[in-house]
Amino acid sequence: MALSPEHEAQILRYYHAERWRIGTIAVQLGLHRDTVARVLAQAGLPRHGPVQRASAIDPYLPFLHETLAQFPRLTAARLYDMVRARGYPGRPDHFRHLIARHRPRPSAEAYLRLRTLPGEQAQVDWGHFGHLTIGRARRPLMAFVMVLSWSRQIYLRFFLDARMENFLRGHVGAFAHWGAVPRIALYDNLKSAVLERCGNAIRFHPTLLALAGHYRFEPRPVAVARGNEKGRVERAIRYVREAFFAGRPFADLDDLNAQAQAWCEGAAGARRCPEDASMTVTEAFAAERERLLALPEAPFPTDELRAVSAGKTPYVRFDLNDYSIPHTHVQRPLTVCADPLRVRILDGEDVIATHARSYDRRQQIECAAHLEALVAHKHAARAHRATDRLTAAVPTCQALLAQAAERGEPLGRTTRALTDLLDRYGAGELAVAVDEALARGVPHPNAVRLALERRREAPPPLGVPLPAHLKTRDVTVRAHPLAGYDRLLEDDHDDA
């Protein structure tokens, strides 16, 4: 609402004639102080204020201006030490407040609008989207984003880390999804692309160079601290955060990637192309695809290769988990070859084990044949294996075994009894019974058995093994007919 000429005249009179302050004028006239300040600024008259007194920093301002012009990022603490050594008497907190007024401000930088030809360039970057909890593991959720600079076609895929293998899988997946390859891929100076840089001298990651040679594109990093040179992928990541990821439920990583693919082909492809507003992104990509490079016959290999060493137990550790191997290959160097779904363990060129990949942590992924072969080879391992199986199924059994050992109970017999109960009742019921026995302070398998029987309406019959002589003792004996004895007596009388 515009002020009337009378209000403007009152503001100018109160300020210049009566020397009222801006806040006082605003309160008395019922206006906002910014409105009063705007009227005074539009009048073009010089503003008045309190008389400026001399400051203790004034003699040192020429030295400070000269120093800041040469070293504009010098901290206030270092400047205070320098002027204090030259006789400045003020306190450091007041000096920090004063130096902020005299520190030179960088001028705003203008940027050119960058344009590319169809099929010429793609921009690549990672985006961090929080963490996923898988079992006991907390893994980062990283989004690989590749954008064609002309059509703005987005390829989006989520991974559980930003390692080199997933960086390669993102490229291979994008090229396979588009069915073509751009001529240039633009990166910032991330370690998966640039190992070392000194000015224009760049040492690329050798694996990235192998990928670029396979698909015949040029990797090109932007200048240091020049994220604006790959602004298309930066805006695409922001677009993914706001339009796709915000508030989106998903069951697991596969579900999230399936939704991401549908979104890229649907809502993200239906938006208008910035280079040609008459087309959608999907239509622009269809026109750009003819200008892209053709795919090679075979995709680039992206399996993870890790040198590992097996110890005394038949397991190798990979990505926070232990995978079983045959016991004949312990205590020797091995190689893990892993893709997103499975883990293969090699001894030289021979594959000795194959497992489904786990993204949990501290898990033992086992093949039953490996452990059965070890048990058959070394019978002494049976007791330890029973304990491991028991504690893996019911973790609270470890506390019960520890308390039983303190009371002098035989651990072998206790373990066997608990293992029998595990086979008969299952892990869930056994866990409840063990908790009850520990709560009662009776770490004995009989206490666990009684708790299990109380939880069941009809306890199962107990199998009692009997020795052979006891089984034959209860055999039913048929009575012999007595007529045979009468005939014997008759025979004796005839002889007489």
Side-chain angles (χ1 to χ4, degrees):
M1 180 177 178
L3 291 178
S4 63
E6 291 79 5
H7 278 92
E8 294 183 358
Q10 284 182 323
I11 291 173
L12 295 175
R13 181 171 62 84
Y14 289 150
Y15 184 79
H16 292 286
E18 304 298 339
R19 299 288 180 174
W20 287 10
R21 294 185 178 182
I22 294 177
T24 304
I25 298 173
V27 171
Q28 295 300 322
L29 299 181
L31 302 174
H32 195 277
R33 60 178 298 109
D34 292 345
T35 303
V36 176
R38 176 174 54 81
V39 172
L40 296 175
Q42 292 175 351
L45 299 176
R47 297 184 61 177
H48 63 81
V51 179
Q52 296 291 335
R53 295 179 299 175
S55 174
I57 201 175
D58 290 343
Y60 306 93
L61 288 178
F63 167 75
L64 291 173
H65 291 157
E66 180 182 357
T67 304
L68 287 173
Q70 188 175 1
F71 308 102
R73 299 180 63 87
L74 205 61
T75 63
R78 184 70 190 102
L79 288 170
Y80 176 76
D81 293 338
M82 295 171 70
V83 297
R84 185 64 182 269
R86 289 165 173 78
Y88 175 68
R91 296 177 60 83
D93 51 351
H94 184 59
F95 175 82
R96 188 179 295 107
H97 174 72
L98 294 175
I99 202 63
R101 302 178 181 177
H102 300 279
R103 188 180 294 277
R105 297 290 184 266
S107 58
E109 183 178 0
Y111 298 95
L112 292 173
R113 178 171 293 180
L114 303 178
R115 296 186 180 275
T116 59
L117 297 174
E120 185 70 16
Q121 184 191 94
Q123 298 183 5
V124 184
D125 204 358
W126 286 106
H128 186 262
F129 284 77
H131 291 81
L132 281 185
T133 300
I134 303 176
R136 291 182 288 182
R138 185 172 181 266
R139 294 181 178 270
L141 183 61
M142 305 297 297
F144 176 89
V145 182
M146 182 181 286
V147 181
L148 291 175
S149 297
W150 187 80
S151 66
R152 302 303 204 278
Q153 180 72 20
I154 297 176
Y155 175 79
L156 171 64
R157 185 168 182 83
F158 290 89
F159 296 95
L160 294 179
D161 57 57
R163 295 177 183 174
M164 188 66 193
E165 292 79 12
N166 288 332
F167 191 59
L168 300 176
R169 289 169 186 146
H171 285 78
V172 174
F175 299 154
H177 182 70
W178 293 337
V181 181
R183 288 173 170 80
I184 297 172
L186 205 62
Y187 309 94
D188 57 12
N189 295 273
L190 70 166
K191 289 299 182 182
S192 298
V194 178
L195 294 181
E196 187 177 4
R197 181 167 187 163
C198 183
N200 293 327
I202 300 171
R203 185 163 69 92
F204 287 97
H205 198 292
T207 309
L208 178 64
L209 293 179
L211 176 75
H214 183 82
Y215 287 101
R216 303 182 303 279
F217 70 88
E218 176 191 353
R220 182 181 296 177
V222 301
V224 178
R226 282 291 182 266
N228 61 289
E229 295 183 7
K230 58 179 187 64
R232 290 170 173 84
V233 71
E234 298 287 351
R235 286 192 295 273
I237 293 176
R238 183 177 63 187
Y239 178 51
V240 169
R241 292 186 191 278
E242 297 174 352
F244 171 75
F245 191 77
R248 179 174 295 271
F250 56 92
D252 51 21
L253 186 65
D254 293 336
D255 180 34
L256 180 60
N257 281 324
Q259 295 185 46
Q261 181 177 348
W263 177 79
C264 290
E265 297 173 354
R271 72 192 194 279
R272 290 294 168 184
C273 176
E275 297 292 340
D276 189 347
S278 64
M279 297 187 296
T280 65
V281 170
T282 301
E283 295 170 347
F285 171 67
E288 185 181 20
R289 181 181 292 175
E290 301 176 356
R291 308 291 181 87
L292 297 172
L293 300 176
L295 285 174
E297 295 181 359
F300 188 79
T302 59
D303 288 348
E304 302 174 54
L305 295 177
R306 296 285 186 274
V308 296
S309 180
K312 296 181 180 180
T313 58
Y315 297 93
V316 295
R317 176 154 296 182
F318 171 72
D319 194 19
L320 305 179
N321 296 298
D322 293 333
Y323 295 85
S324 69
I325 59 172
H327 69 278
T328 54
H329 293 76
V330 298
Q331 294 187 342
R332 66 174 65 181
L334 302 171
T335 303
V336 170
C337 180
D339 59 31
L341 299 178
R342 63 174 184 167
V343 174
R344 294 181 299 157
I345 304 169
L346 293 80
D347 187 357
E349 297 181 355
D350 300 329
V351 179
I352 62 173
T354 302
H355 299 278
R357 183 163 183 174
S358 172
Y359 290 96
D360 203 340
R361 65 181 304 177
R362 297 179 183 174
Q363 297 296 308
Q364 289 185 353
I365 296 88
E366 301 171 341
C367 176
H370 298 161
L371 302 180
E372 290 172 1
L374 176 60
V375 171
H377 177 72
K378 190 174 183 181
H379 296 283
R382 290 181 178 174
H384 300 288
R385 176 60 189 160
T387 303
D388 292 342
R389 174 172 173 262
L390 189 63
T391 55
V394 182
T396 53
C397 285
Q398 187 172 1
L400 188 141
L401 292 174
Q403 295 184 19
E406 293 177 358
R407 296 180 57 175
E409 298 290 341
L411 290 183
R413 186 171 62 189
T414 303
T415 303
R416 287 193 298 271
L418 293 175
T419 305
D420 293 340
L421 295 175
L422 174 63
D423 295 335
R424 185 176 302 171
Y425 291 91
E429 291 291 325
L430 182 60
V432 176
V434 169
D435 291 339
E436 183 176 342
L438 291 175
R440 294 172 55 196
V442 186
H444 196 276
N446 289 339
V448 178
R449 183 181 296 106
L450 290 175
L452 289 170
E453 292 175 355
R454 281 196 301 269
R455 289 178 57 83
R456 297 190 57 161
E457 296 180 359
L462 298 177
V464 180
L466 296 176
H469 72 281
L470 292 178
K471 293 181 179 179
T472 57
R473 186 182 65 180
D474 296 332
V475 174
T476 303
V477 180
R478 293 182 179 179
H480 190 74
L482 301 180
Y485 296 102
D486 294 338
R487 286 197 299 269
L488 291 176
L489 293 175
E490 294 175 357
D491 295 340
D492 291 341
H493 287 301
D494 293 343
D495 292 341

